[in-house]
Amino acid sequence: MTREWRVDDFDYALPPDRIAQEPLPRRDASRLMALNRRTGRVEHRLFTDLPDLLAPGDLLVLNDTKVIPARLRGRRSAPGTGGRVEALLVERLEPESGRTGQAGRDHEAWLALVKGARREGDPIDFGAGLSGRLGSRAGEEMFQLDLWAGAERGDLPTALEAAGAMPVPPYIRREPGDPREQADRERYQTVFAKSAGAVAAPTAGLHFTGELLETIRDRGVRVETLTLHVGPGTFQPVRVEQVRDHRLAPERFVIPESVAREVLDARKRGGRVVAVGTTVTRALESGATSSDRRVAAGTGRCDLFIHPGYEFRVVDAMVTNFHLPRSTLLMLVSAFAGRDSVLAAYAEAIQMGYRFYSYGDAMLILQETVT
């Protein structure tokens, strides 16, 4: 009989000082906990040891999504108003979906989480040549938001880059004007990011450097990238009691032909498919074709919610960070390695002083014996 999991089953206590507020000076200087998903045994390593834990013939899959400066702060600009407005861009609307029916280099329509503006038509000044206008409501605190660039900026991407801040999660505390916001533009972004569209980083990829990836390739490991544009739904609190009642907001993904081909080739040569992050895991499992453990190339919208009871069809090993209590990400990792093993590993990580969450340390979950 399948167990009915409650969200409470994925809770744990984390001291606040374990939440990393900024990255280490070097990306690959983080610690790496290796967890055997079969036995629950752990080993404490450094992230630079990752090549030694991979084998020739393995396939490492990365998410090349690029985080946009999606957090905007501004003021209502209608006469007699001037109240503060905060917006988090969620997804760009296609031209035919927008209220104005226009989109281009100087204008776009977005779905956005907006605080401080409630009336349709409210004009907003975000500074740096970026203006906005509140559109129709699309959900709780979700609105259509029209954005356009002033003549002094020339195009919308330039204005957005100047006005926006990187959308680091709320547990990374940043006040407006915090000098660390500028550093976030580099460090809350992977070194292999190229496809703009995410409003949150695929944080397992933050540990990689170009040099480390070259070392991995030199070991005979194939490296490929897919794209899943991470949205805020991945990190939204789970507000139901029963895990099965939760739903994930869909996120756009692209699986290239090269990834589908390399997954098949890895199977033929006896290599493992190693997913870097929960986003890659969800994309690959969404693209699984059947029980033959292959994956289909293509595009789509991923709303796959992986929790204990799920049978993995593509992914053999996973690089991931340490995740929030009661989160869908912790549920996914628990599905992969077993809830009891994962929570025991987390307890040991807390005791050993590991750094948690987006700017924290990493975990490698694999099946072979950890030596």
Side-chain angles (χ1 to χ4, degrees):
M1 181 176 178
T2 303
R3 175 172 176 176
E4 289 292 329
W5 293 97
R6 296 175 57 85
V7 176
D8 290 345
D9 293 325
F10 300 90
D11 204 359
Y12 68 93
L14 180 70
D17 63 357
R18 292 289 185 269
I19 302 174
Q21 293 300 308
E22 53 194 59
L24 295 172
R26 277 190 56 87
R27 290 175 180 266
D28 58 5
S30 54
R31 298 172 72 178
L32 177 68
M33 173 183 278
L35 170 64
N36 186 307
R37 62 186 293 214
R38 186 177 65 243
T39 66
R41 183 185 173 193
V42 301
E43 182 180 355
H44 303 285
R45 296 271 200 146
L46 296 175
F47 201 80
T48 48
D49 295 331
L50 179 62
D52 297 331
L53 299 171
L54 302 176
D58 285 346
L59 170 65
L60 188 77
V61 185
L62 309 164
N63 184 359
D64 68 3
T65 188
K66 186 174 183 179
V67 184
I68 62 173
R71 189 172 300 282
L72 302 173
R73 303 182 182 103
R75 290 186 177 274
R76 287 180 288 164
S77 54
T81 57
R84 293 182 179 178
V85 177
E86 292 190 9
L88 176 66
L89 303 181
V90 173
E91 182 177 358
R92 187 175 69 83
L93 297 171
E94 295 301 321
E96 62 270 18
S97 301
R99 179 175 60 84
T100 62
Q102 301 175 12
R105 295 293 291 175
D106 60 350
H107 175 271
E108 289 179 352
W110 284 77
L111 284 178
L113 292 167
V114 182
K115 296 181 179 180
R118 288 291 180 267
R119 294 180 301 178
E120 184 173 347
D122 271 354
I124 305 166
D125 181 7
F126 290 113
L130 182 68
S131 299
R133 188 177 301 275
L134 195 69
S136 58
R137 183 185 292 272
E140 184 180 356
E141 293 192 336
M142 186 78 76
F143 294 84
Q144 178 174 311
L145 181 64
D146 293 316
L147 297 175
W148 64 90
E152 68 274 21
R153 285 293 174 184
D155 61 58
L156 186 60
T158 301
L160 182 59
E161 185 69 27
M166 292 298 273
V168 296
Y171 51 75
I172 297 176
R173 295 184 293 274
R174 298 286 189 268
E175 296 297 328
D178 190 318
R180 292 176 295 181
E181 284 192 338
Q182 189 59 40
D184 290 333
R185 288 181 177 266
E186 176 191 358
R187 296 303 301 274
Y188 194 64
Q189 194 84 270
T190 65
V191 298
F192 43 82
K194 65 178 183 180
S195 181
V199 300
T203 56
L206 297 179
H207 305 280
F208 288 87
T209 64
E211 294 83 0
L212 186 63
L213 286 169
E214 282 303 310
T215 300
I216 289 170
R217 290 187 179 97
D218 290 344
R219 186 167 171 77
V221 176
R222 306 299 293 266
V223 179
E224 288 289 338
T225 61
L226 55 74
T227 304
L228 186 143
H229 291 310
V230 191
T234 300
F235 304 100
Q236 290 295 316
V238 180
R239 295 188 172 91
V240 297
E241 293 183 359
Q242 299 290 337
V243 169
R244 58 178 166 80
D245 293 333
H246 183 68
R247 298 293 181 270
L248 281 179
E251 298 164 317
R252 291 174 292 136
F253 74 91
V254 180
I255 299 177
E257 290 282 356
S258 60
V259 171
R261 183 174 60 252
E262 286 293 343
V263 168
L264 178 59
D265 289 347
R267 298 286 177 236
K268 291 179 178 178
R269 61 180 177 258
R272 298 168 297 181
V273 176
V274 183
V276 176
T278 58
T279 60
V280 171
T281 300
R282 291 176 58 239
L284 290 175
E285 293 295 323
S286 292
T289 56
S290 64
S291 59
D292 62 6
R293 306 183 74 203
R294 300 184 187 185
V295 65
T299 64
R301 295 176 67 84
C302 177
D303 61 358
L304 177 62
F305 176 27
I306 297 177
H307 51 82
Y310 178 85
E311 294 186 9
F312 288 83
R313 295 184 288 174
V314 179
V315 175
D316 301 304
M318 185 191 311
V319 179
T320 188
N321 279 20
F322 292 89
H323 302 295
L324 277 74
R326 305 169 62 89
S327 67
T328 60
L329 306 181
L330 180 57
M331 294 169 193
L332 184 154
V333 172
S334 296
F336 194 65
R339 187 206 65 154
D340 292 347
S341 292
V342 169
L343 291 184
Y346 273 44
E348 185 167 340
I350 293 170
Q351 183 182 16
M352 297 287 292
Y354 277 69
R355 304 164 76 246
F356 274 60
Y357 304 165
S358 294
Y359 278 153
D361 293 315
M363 173 182 281
L364 172 65
I365 305 173
L366 69 175
Q367 190 153 313
E368 288 74 6
T369 302
V370 180
T371 58

